[in-house]
Amino acid sequence: MYGRQRLAETITEPEITVVPGVYDGISARLVEQQGFETGFLSGAGVSNSRLAQLDVGFLTLPDVADQSREIADAVDIPIWVDADTGYGNAVNVHRTVRKLANAGAAAVMIEDQEWPKRCGHMAGKSVVPFDEAVTKIEAAADARDECAPNMLLKARTDATEPDGLDEAIERLNAFADAGADVVFADALRSAEDIRRVAADVDAPLSVNMGFGVRSRPTTPLISAARLEEMGVAVVIYPRLITAAATAGMKRGLEELTTAVETREEHEAPDAVVDWGYYTDLLGKPAVDDLEGRFTADSG
């Protein structure tokens, strides 16, 4: 279920919208099961998990569209999709938004970095010229209006590091005028910067809190409650679930190493979920129901 209208309504509510990152069907289903109302398909998460590569421009539109389609089919919560720079010029952006709308995206994010882009919290970023950036958002908005009017368009700028906060604010306001529903300045360096952007931009503001439970050397870790008080409308946690999954897999393999190096049976139940929970997460009750309804009685 796309949930586009539901997501659009959520953004207008006074409470901050909390959006954990997802990268595949299981991660999205866990986010849904935990009670979150929406998830964010992180380009970094897909690049890291699918390609074992940094977020430095290795993803393509087919990679993201395929992943979006499978995740949207796996859950009922609406999914935001990170479309990087739109994979080309304004014409490419138009096609990207149409493709992701058809794949089930409830919201699409387009950024203004030059290609190949880099993770917003890595050094060495550069952005396209102002007018080109705005034109790409205009193209994205046109595609949204044509294909999925209820889908949200999120416009991101990475101009703060190379060009300063004033430039970032000017771009965000121009993106809002061009049709963006939500705007996002990545890698803001302080709470004061976040407050200023929230105050000076005439559109709902999204911020990136990365891991969410661990500080980074760039944007400071700030609670969702404090961000709401600062005027932020949406907070994303794109790095949490990939980092947590990596920690879990690492621990599981360490336990397996112990198990194969000893003659005695080694159990570490806290390192894995139990079989019943795992199969239920993967939809066993629904499969059981279908088999009960449609499998012929062999007797």
Side-chain angles (χ1 to χ4, degrees), residues 172-192:
L172 293 184
N173 279 314
F175 294 165
D177 290 341
D181 303 290
V182 180
V183 296
F184 168 35
D186 203 10
L188 296 175
R189 293 284 179 166
S190 68
E192 290 71 26

Side-chain angles (χ1 to χ4, degrees), residues 21 42 44-45 48 55 119 208 210-211 216 237-244:
S42 159
N48 299 165
D55 182 21
C119 166
N208 176 358
F211 296 116
R216 298 173 295 169
Y237 300 92
R239 294 288 190 173
L240 168 67
I241 207 160
T242 45

Side-chain angles (χ1 to χ4, degrees), residues 255-268:
E255 296 289 355
L256 180 61
T257 299
T258 300
V260 299
E261 289 178 348
T262 180
R263 290 179 56 83
E264 302 300 323
E265 288 76 13
H266 173 74
E267 289 206 35

Side-chain angles (χ1 to χ4, degrees), residues 121-187:
H121 295 256
M122 295 174 65
K125 297 184 299 178
S126 58
V127 293
V128 299
F130 185 96
D131 290 344
E132 180 181 349
V134 174
T135 299
K136 291 175 76 169
I137 299 305
E138 290 173 343
D142 184 80
R144 172 204 59 201
D145 294 344
E146 176 185 313
C147 298
N150 288 332
M151 187 173 72
L152 294 180
L153 174 58
K154 181 177 179 179
R156 162 179 158 178
T157 184
D158 286 79
T160 304
E161 179 186 320
D163 299 319
L165 193 60
D166 288 342
E167 174 71 11
I169 290 171
E170 185 176 1
R171 286 184 179 230
L172 293 184
N173 279 314
F175 294 165
D177 290 341
D181 303 290
V182 180
V183 296
F184 168 35
D186 203 10

Side-chain angles (χ1 to χ4, degrees), residues 184-269:
F184 168 35
D186 203 10
L188 296 175
R189 293 284 179 166
S190 68
E192 290 71 26
D193 285 351
I194 294 173
R195 285 192 188 91
R196 185 178 165 206
V197 175
D200 291 354
V201 173
D202 190 21
L205 177 67
S206 175
V207 299
N208 176 358
M209 281 293 114
F211 296 116
V213 295
R214 183 170 186 169
S215 298
R216 298 173 295 169
T218 50
T219 305
L221 184 61
I222 303 172
S223 71
R226 284 187 58 211
L227 289 170
E228 182 180 311
E229 293 169 357
M230 294 159 65
V232 174
V234 179
V235 56
I236 62 173
Y237 300 92
R239 294 288 190 173
L240 168 67
I241 207 160
T242 45
T246 301
M249 288 186 282
K250 181 174 181 291
R251 182 188 172 189
L253 289 168
E254 289 169 348
E255 296 289 355
L256 180 61
T257 299
T258 300
V260 299
E261 289 178 348
T262 180
R263 290 179 56 83
E264 302 300 323
E265 288 76 13
H266 173 74
E267 289 206 35

